[in-house]
């Protein structure tokens, strides 16, 4: 399923009705969430889910997050234990995805879960996403709306830059507020496990649970949740992390007041929320600057590894990981 031309839809009643019509027909529609733009497809439709993988060029073994309108819709798809109930009550709607045991009668495409007995569920807080889910009336598989391995989109223009002509439409709801993907937590069978840092700090989750999260060891060959591949969110240039200054021939992606000479500064004031919100846009901009100036390496300032800094560092490590196909991805 490909689109000869990607429509841009307004986030009004007419635009959402058209988006829902396309989704019911098995087409793909990108939509804004508070984290990044998601690439929506009917999670019950095998062909629609397969089209998501095709549009993104995404590995088939990487599972997808399913977006739902409310907790009743989530409970119809998965089994909630005590930890899941506590986290959903505290943080839904919001930037939290819960990996839970899939109900046999859920009716989701097997491609959504990549053949695993669990499913990642999220109730987004963005009003446009919530309205679209209500109008559509079902669960939407919704990975980030970008080609696999590329920087995630935080505006409709970012979506079109990567997927124009590959999907039917994008609902333009403006810039995303959080700017990094949802935090992913698995519950059941023991202590809750942090599978992916994201837009909701782990410290807040632990406070709600009254217990520490266990850090899950990811298998890069069989990820349990999205975003666990070793190389992910990668720009076209090499990144050198924990750098306090740029070497000759490098650009500096800075953080904080000490990075005055940075080509781009994620937050001159050292604000992790500001840095997280602008991370993907900054990676896109530094990538374009490097290409224009013939630079092949970007130095990245150290980022404090707490709160949202953990999510930022997670994305930067994946962006910096060696990629066998790096030359073809430029």
């Amino acid at each position: 399923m490909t689109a000869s031309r990607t429509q841009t839809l307004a986030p009004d009643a007419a635009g959402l009705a058209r988006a829902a019509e396309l989704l019911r027909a098995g087409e793909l529609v990108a939509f804004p969430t508070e984290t990044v733009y998601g690439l929506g497809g009917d999670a019950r439709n095998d062909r629609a889910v397969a089209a998501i993988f095709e549009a993104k060029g995404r590995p088939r073994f990487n599972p997808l997050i399913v977006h739902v309108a409310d907790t009743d819709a989530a409970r119809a798809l998965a089994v909630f234990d005590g930890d899941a109930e506590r986290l959903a009550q505290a943080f839904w709607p919001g930037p939290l995805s819960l990996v839970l045991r899939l109900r046999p009668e859920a009716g989701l495409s097997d491609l959504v879960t990549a053949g695993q007995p669990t499913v990642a569920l999220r109730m987004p807080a963005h009003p446009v996403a919530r309205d679209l889910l209500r109008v559509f009336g079902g669960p939407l598989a919704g990975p980030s709306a970008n080609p696999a391995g590329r920087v995630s989109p935080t505006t409709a223009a970012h979506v079109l830059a990567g997927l124009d002509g590959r999907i039917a439409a994008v609902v333009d709801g403006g810039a995303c507020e959080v700017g990094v993907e949802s935090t992913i937590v698995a519950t059941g069978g023991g202590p809750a496990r942090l599978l992916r840092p994201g837009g909701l700090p782990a410290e807040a989750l632990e406070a709600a649970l009254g217990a520490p999260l266990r850090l899950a060891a990811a298998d890069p060959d069989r990820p349990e949740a999205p975003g666990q591949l070793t190389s992910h969110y990668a720009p076209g240039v090499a990144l050198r992390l924990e750098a306090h200054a740029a070497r000759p021939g490098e650009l500096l992606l800075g953080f904080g007041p000490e990075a005055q000479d940075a080509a781009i500064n994620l937050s001159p004031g050292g604000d992790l929320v500001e840095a997280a919100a602008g991370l993907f846009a900054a990676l896109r901009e530094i990538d374009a600057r490097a290409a224009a100036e013939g630079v092949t390496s970007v130095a990245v300032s150290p980022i404090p590894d707490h709160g949202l800094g953990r999510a930022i560092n997670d994305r930067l490590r994946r962006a910096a990981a060696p990629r066998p196909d790096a030359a073809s991805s430029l």
Side-chain angles (χ1 to χ4, degrees):
M1 255 179 289
T2 58
S4 58
R5 183 178 180 183
T6 298
Q7 305 173 45
T8 299
L9 303 175
D12 55 17
L16 294 175
R18 176 58 178 159
E21 178 184 19
L22 290 167
L23 290 165
R24 294 188 193 105
E27 299 288 350
L28 305 184
V29 176
F31 61 95
T33 76
E34 69 276 20
T35 55
V36 299
Y37 271 70
L39 179 55
D42 187 342
R44 303 159 298 189
N45 183 326
D46 287 334
R47 291 180 63 86
V49 178
I52 290 175
F53 288 109
E54 180 181 16
K56 287 178 64 68
R58 185 183 181 120
R60 297 306 199 264
F61 51 77
N62 204 5
L64 304 178
I65 291 174
V66 175
H67 293 68
V68 294
D70 51 44
T71 52
D72 286 342
R75 291 191 182 96
L77 301 176
V79 177
F80 278 66
D81 62 7
D83 282 345
E85 292 285 359
R86 280 186 284 276
L87 291 175
Q89 183 175 359
F91 301 111
W92 274 7
L96 171 66
S97 295
L98 293 174
V99 174
L100 308 170
R101 182 160 57 87
L102 182 68
R103 291 188 181 277
E105 69 276 16
L108 297 179
S109 167
D110 288 339
L111 294 174
V112 167
T113 61
Q116 299 186 54
T118 56
V119 62
L121 298 177
R122 180 157 106 83
M123 187 196 307
H126 197 291
V128 174
R130 300 290 301 280
D131 288 345
L132 176 60
L133 285 160
R134 282 193 290 266
V135 174
F136 174 62
L140 289 177
S144 56
N146 56 283
R150 297 291 185 152
V151 179
S152 297
T154 53
T155 67
H158 292 164
V159 175
L160 292 172
L163 297 178
D164 192 16
R166 299 192 199 181
I167 64 175
V170 55
V171 180
D172 189 351
C176 300
E177 179 180 357
V178 177
V180 293
E181 291 89 342
S182 61
T183 301
I184 303 180
V185 174
T187 69
R193 294 175 294 131
L194 179 65
L195 301 183
R196 182 181 76 180
L200 184 62
E203 294 88 342
L205 296 162
E206 291 173 334
L209 290 169
L213 287 166
R214 185 157 61 90
L215 296 180
D219 179 354
D221 295 319
R222 187 174 174 80
E224 187 176 357
Q228 290 186 312
L229 293 177
T230 302
S231 175
H232 207 38
Y233 316 108
V237 293
L239 300 183
R240 184 171 63 87
L241 305 183
E242 300 291 327
H244 293 277
R247 294 170 178 167
E250 284 186 329
L251 295 177
L252 177 64
L253 179 61
F255 175 83
E258 64 277 9
Q260 297 296 330
D261 297 329
I264 299 171
N265 196 318
L266 291 169
S267 174
D271 184 337
L272 289 173
V273 175
E274 180 184 18
L279 176 62
F280 289 128
L283 286 174
R284 288 176 181 276
E285 185 178 349
I286 201 80
D287 204 15
R289 286 274 300 272
E293 298 178 25
V295 171
T296 59
S297 178
V298 170
V300 183
S301 292
I303 307 293
D305 200 36
H306 60 77
L308 286 178
R310 295 174 68 180
I312 295 169
N313 283 322
D314 176 77
R315 299 305 183 274
L316 289 171
R317 283 190 294 269
R318 297 181 192 280
R323 306 188 301 284
D325 61 342
S328 64
S329 68
L330 295 176

